[in-house]
């Protein structure tokens, strides 16, 4: 594969997973025009869920250019695969991303800031490795389904009227 940065420090290869190829092409055109992107390596478009982990395991960083988002499942999947993340400074992302610890936050729609963060991420392998470890830890601690559903049922138990039992809700844990 091509080096990630060219001799001028511009990003030379980008692999993107997204549902909207049109938005990808517009973002890439703005980055190319601004001189922040040298070339595009692969446009994967929407891929089968079974293949996402393979893409994440080959990537150096996860980038999401949404204007707004709640808690993104693809963000959590990328973090669980140990990817440092670059995402918009939106409420759902701020819940999971601590700048300079496990990723970067940039203003939605700011292609220049996004390109600068991508270049920074790709230049600093030691920082990516530290963020990889941080994201593995945060997802193991906070995004574990078994632990979270147990906490949810504990909260339900505290709220239910006396005499009601958690067994009424136990079937939900099997989903």
């Amino acid at each position: 594969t091509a080096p990630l940065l060219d001799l001028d420090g511009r990003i030379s290869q980008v692999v993107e997973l997204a549902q909207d190829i049109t938005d990808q092409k517009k973002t890439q055109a703005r980055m190319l025009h601004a001189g922040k992107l040298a070339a595009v390596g692969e446009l994967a478009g929407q891929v089968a869920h079974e293949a996402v982990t393979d893409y994440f395991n080959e990537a150096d960083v996860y980038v999401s250019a949404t204007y707004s988002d709640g808690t993104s499942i693809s963000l959590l999947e990328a973090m669980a695969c140990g990817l440092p993340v670059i995402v918009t400074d939106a409420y759902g992302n701020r819940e999971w991303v601590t700048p300079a610890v496990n990723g970067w936050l940039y203003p939605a729609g700011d292609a220049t800031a996004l390109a600068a963060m991508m270049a920074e991420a790709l230049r600093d392998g030691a920082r990516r490795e530290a963020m990889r470890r941080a994201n593995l830890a945060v997802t193991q601690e906070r995004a574990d389904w078994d632990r979270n559903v147990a906490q949810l049922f504990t909260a339900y138990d505290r709220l239910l009227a006396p005499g009601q039992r958690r067994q009424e809700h136990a079937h939900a844990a099997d989903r």
Side-chain angles (χ1 to χ4, degrees), residues 112-133:
T112 302
L114 172 58
M117 288 180 186
M118 290 171 68
E120 178 183 339
L122 295 176
R123 275 189 206 103
D124 193 344
R127 185 179 224 181
R128 286 195 317 271
E129 176 57 27
M131 289 180 173
R132 182 190 74 76
R133 289 190 307 271

Side-chain angles (χ1 to χ4, degrees), residues 91-113:
Y91 175 78
N93 295 333
R94 284 190 303 267
E95 181 179 341
W96 291 94
V97 179
T98 303
V101 174
N102 66 332
W104 293 265
L105 297 170
Y106 70 94
D110 188 341
T112 302

